[in-house]
Amino acid sequence: MKKTIIIFIFLPFILFSQNKKSSFLIIYPANISTSENLNAEKIEYLDYEKNRSLESSNGNLKDKLKKEIEELTIEKIIGNVTLQSLQFYLYENFPKNKYSVAEKNTDSETKEKKKSDYLIEYNNLNISENKDGKLNLSFELVLFDIKKKEYLIQKEFVADEINQGGMWGCSESRFKCIINNTIRIGTAEIARKFWKE
C-alpha cells in the first residue's frame, strides 16, 4: 500500500517536470579584470584551449569555426560551458528546456531576451592571487526572471584553483581550475533553484 501511495504522489511531479519548458539566455561576461602579473599565464591557458580545440577537429574545420577558435576568450568559455552544463544538470527533470548565449548589449541579446524566460549573467569578474599566491576568480552571479522582472539569484562568489576532479577536473592549468570552479558554482546554484520548484 505504501509503495502505491508513493508512486501516485511523485508521478504528477515527474509528469509536470518533464512537460515544463523554459528558455534560458546566458550572456557572455563582459571583460574580466586580471592582475597584470597574471596576463602571461592567462595567454598561455588560452593558447592551450585553442590548440586543444584545433587538435580535436583533426584539421577538418570550416572557416567560421576556425575563426571562433582563434577568437576564443575566457568570457566565451564561461558562457558556452555554462550553457552545456545547465543542459546536463537540468535535462532529467526539464528535457524540453532551451538554452542560448549572446554577447552583452547587442541586437542578438535584445532579440533573444524577447524569447527567453530567464537571464543568466556572470558580472564583475576579477582574477587575482590571494596572500598565499593562489588564484581566485571573484564574480557576481545573476539569475533573473525576465517575465516576472525578479532576481532569483544576485550573489557574489569566489572560485579557487582547487582541482575538484571528475567533470570539473583541471590538472592542466590553475586558470582552467578557477574557470571550471566558477562554472561549477554558477550551474549548481542555478540548477538548485529549479530542483526546488
Side-chain angles (χ1 to χ4, degrees):
M1 181 68 177
K2 281 185 180 178
K3 285 182 183 176
T4 309
I5 291 169
I6 290 168
I7 289 167
F8 284 122
I9 288 171
F10 286 106
L11 190 59
F13 174 75
I14 291 165
L15 291 174
F16 171 74
S17 296
Q18 291 182 344
N19 286 325
K20 189 174 179 183
K21 183 169 85 172
S22 298
S23 55
F24 294 82
L25 173 60
I26 299 143
I27 303 298
Y28 288 124
N31 291 336
I32 296 175
S33 168
T34 307
S35 299
E36 199 171 316
N37 64 315
L38 298 170
N39 281 333
E41 190 177 352
K42 177 181 174 181
I43 291 165
E44 187 181 312
Y45 163 69
L46 281 170
D47 286 344
Y48 161 80
E49 289 291 359
K50 289 174 188 178
N51 289 331
R52 191 170 71 114
S53 297
L54 289 168
E55 285 168 15
S56 68
S57 70
N58 295 324
N60 299 324
L61 281 176
K62 292 185 178 174
D63 288 341
K64 186 180 176 187
L65 188 54
K66 193 173 182 182
K67 188 177 180 209
E68 283 177 17
I69 291 170
E70 287 167 358
E71 295 174 353
L72 189 66
T73 63
I74 289 175
E75 293 84 350
K76 288 191 175 172
I77 292 169
I78 290 172
N80 292 334
V81 179
T82 295
L83 182 148
Q84 294 164 3
S85 301
L86 279 175
Q87 286 174 322
F88 173 80
Y89 269 96
L90 297 177
Y91 181 80
E92 189 175 339
N93 287 329
F94 306 101
K96 295 182 179 179
N97 279 358
K98 294 194 174 189
Y99 305 87
S100 58
V101 67
E103 298 275 355
K104 196 172 182 73
N105 300 323
T106 60
D107 291 339
S108 174
E109 178 190 357
T110 306
K111 184 179 169 186
E112 290 297 328
K113 264 188 189 172
K114 290 176 183 172
K115 301 187 283 185
S116 301
D117 299 305
Y118 300 99
L119 178 72
I120 296 166
E121 288 188 279
Y122 295 83
N123 295 325
N124 307 322
L125 290 92
N126 181 54
I127 299 172
S128 60
E129 285 180 308
N130 64 21
K131 58 183 171 54
D132 299 321
K134 302 289 186 186
L135 274 189
N136 285 328
L137 198 164
S138 60
F139 63 97
E140 178 193 52
L141 177 68
V142 170
L143 173 63
F144 185 72
D145 187 321
I146 295 170
K147 306 284 191 272
K148 293 181 181 175
K149 298 185 179 355
E150 176 186 358
Y151 285 96
L152 304 179
I153 300 173
Q154 190 177 24
K155 188 175 174 184
E156 292 186 4
F157 295 93
V158 177
D160 57 33
E161 64 173 80
I162 295 170
N163 186 346
Q164 299 293 326
M167 71 181 279
W168 302 110
C170 53
S171 57
E172 306 87 347
S173 158
R174 61 188 195 145
F175 258 79
K176 187 172 180 69
C177 286
I178 59 168
I179 291 161
N180 281 5
N181 287 333
T182 297
I183 299 163
R184 176 183 58 80
I185 291 166
T187 52
E189 288 289 323
I190 292 162
R192 212 172 284 128
K193 279 286 177 191
F194 294 92
W195 287 338
K196 282 181 179 178
E197 288 182 0

